């Protein structure tokens, strides 16, 4: 009888212990969930603070301040041309057009290049919205003709051609410069510009190694007027226009 009673007590104790163990496990699991939740929230707060205090380059592309100076306006795939933007144009000898305000500096730069035996020409100047759209459409068609799918053709074309409304050519203060092939080579022109353009207020707008910041691949022919002071600082520091505003 006592043996039976003892067994019952043992079973009862075991049951109590099992219940207590289950409760402990449940509490531990719940505590673990709360702890993980607190850690996740804490990490999110840290990340939010880091992004706020030290924004990434990509983040900064979306928050570049609007400059009061017309020649420092930033236009890229993340920053469209303001709707109220207006430009007065001067036509060049080859029919291309540029913002009248940059014409004297462009002419001065070209005169200096010619004195050094380098003969640049403006291949592309100001473009309208419709002209920019046509260039993009033609690029897409060209890729499709090469066998690209529609989606791949559009994606690839946009790596080289800006969407209408996001092209610096629509500002009138950016130019694509090539060589007068009868007197110079493109490489000679690009080399001269890379070393001297900043003295006349122009910068290489899309340098090598800056694609993730500018949103555009390296273009040794694309120069943009930003004023002499900004151009010299950008040149000396080896940065691009977006980084100039970051720092």
């Amino acid at each position: 009888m006592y043996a039976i009673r003892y067994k019952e007590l043992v079973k009862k104790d075991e049951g109590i212990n099992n219940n207590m163990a289950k409760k402990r496990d449940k509490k531990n699991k719940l505590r673990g969930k709360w702890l993980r939740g607190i850690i996740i929230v804490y990490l999110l707060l840290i990340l939010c603070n880091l992004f706020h205090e030290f924004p990434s380059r990509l983040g900064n592309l979306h928050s570049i301040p609007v400059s009061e100076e017309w020649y420092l306006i930033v236009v890229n795939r993340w920053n469209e041309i303001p709707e109220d933007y207006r430009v007065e144009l001067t036509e060049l000898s080859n029919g291309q057009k540029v913002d009248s305000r940059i014409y004297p500096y462009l002419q001065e730069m070209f005169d200096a290049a010619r004195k050094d035996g380098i003969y640049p020409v403006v291949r592309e100047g100001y473009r309208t919205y419709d002209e920019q759209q046509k260039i993009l459409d033609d690029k897409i068609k060209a890729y499709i003709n090469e066998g690209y799918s529609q989606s791949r053709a559009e994606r690839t074309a946009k790596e080289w051609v800006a969407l209408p409304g996001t092209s610096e050519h629509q500002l009138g203060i950016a130019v694509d410069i090539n060589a007068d092939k009868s007197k110079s080579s493109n490489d000679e022109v690009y080399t001269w510009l890379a070393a001297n353009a900043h003295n006349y207020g122009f910068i290489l707008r899309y340098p090598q190694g800056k694609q993730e910041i500018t949103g555009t691949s390296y273009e040794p022919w694309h120069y943009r007027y930003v004023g002499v002071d900004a151009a010299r600082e950008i040149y000396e520091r080896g940065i691009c226009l977006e980084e100039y505003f970051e720092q």
Side-chain angles (χ1 to χ4, degrees):
M1 180 177 178
Y2 290 107
I4 294 172
R5 181 63 177 167
Y6 177 76
K7 288 180 180 179
E8 289 177 351
L9 290 173
V10 169
K11 287 183 178 179
K12 186 175 181 181
D13 287 342
E14 288 178 349
I16 292 172
N17 290 335
N18 287 337
N19 287 335
M20 291 179 66
K22 289 179 180 178
K23 287 181 180 180
R24 281 198 303 271
D25 290 342
K26 189 174 182 180
K27 286 182 180 180
N28 288 336
K29 288 180 180 178
L30 186 61
R31 189 180 296 113
K33 288 181 179 179
W34 276 103
L35 184 60
R36 285 194 295 272
I38 292 171
I39 291 172
I40 290 172
V41 171
Y42 182 70
L43 290 174
L44 287 174
L45 289 172
I46 292 175
L47 287 173
C48 288
N49 185 61
L50 286 173
F51 278 115
H52 177 71
E53 297 295 336
F54 308 103
S56 67
R57 288 178 171 180
L58 185 58
N60 276 346
L61 294 175
H62 297 271
S63 59
I64 290 174
V66 177
S67 173
E68 295 181 359
E69 304 293 350
W70 59 270
Y71 50 84
L72 288 176
I73 183 173
V74 176
V75 171
N76 54 33
R77 66 176 57 196
W78 302 281
N79 295 271
E80 295 186 358
I81 298 170
E83 292 183 1
D84 60 349
Y85 186 83
R86 298 292 181 271
V87 57
E88 181 179 329
L89 300 169
T90 292
E91 186 170 332
L92 308 180
S93 59
N94 66 350
Q96 294 295 323
K97 298 176 182 179
V98 297
D99 187 315
S100 298
R101 293 170 292 189
I102 77 164
Y103 176 74
Y105 306 101
L106 183 66
Q107 188 63 54
E108 184 182 6
M109 182 169 70
F110 276 30
D111 287 343
R114 291 176 185 127
K115 286 181 180 178
D116 290 340
I118 304 297
Y119 294 86
V121 294
V122 173
R123 182 176 62 83
E124 289 285 342
Y126 173 77
R127 294 178 193 151
T128 64
Y129 183 99
D130 290 340
E131 288 171 336
Q132 187 66 29
Q133 183 66 61
K134 185 178 185 307
I135 291 172
L136 179 59
D137 292 341
D138 289 346
K139 195 71 170 176
I140 293 172
K141 289 178 183 177
Y143 281 122
I144 291 175
N145 291 336
E146 290 181 20
Y148 286 45
S149 66
Q150 180 72 32
S151 59
R152 186 186 175 197
E154 291 179 0
R155 185 173 62 253
T156 307
K158 289 173 185 176
E159 292 177 3
W160 294 98
V161 181
L163 289 170
T166 67
S167 171
E168 284 197 331
H169 284 286
Q170 292 175 248
L171 294 173
I173 59 177
V175 287
D176 288 346
I177 303 174
N178 282 351
D180 177 345
K181 296 295 181 60
S182 65
K183 300 177 180 178
S184 297
S185 69
N186 281 340
D187 286 341
E188 288 175 330
V189 168
Y190 301 158
T191 299
W192 189 92
L193 289 171
N196 296 281
H198 62 281
N199 292 319
Y200 306 93
F202 290 86
I203 60 168
L204 174 61
R205 182 64 179 90
Y206 307 120
Q208 287 181 312
K210 303 291 185 179
Q211 182 176 352
E212 68 177 52
I213 307 172
T214 64
T216 302
S217 300
Y218 171 54
E219 293 186 356
W221 54 81
H222 186 105
Y223 278 79
R224 150 75 193 268
Y225 184 79
V226 295
V228 173
D229 291 339
R232 285 178 175 168
E233 181 176 348
I234 289 170
Y235 172 80
E236 289 170 0
R237 294 171 58 189
I239 59 177
C240 61
L241 186 58
E242 284 81 0
E243 290 174 307
Y244 175 79
F245 278 96
E246 282 182 24
Q247 302 172 28

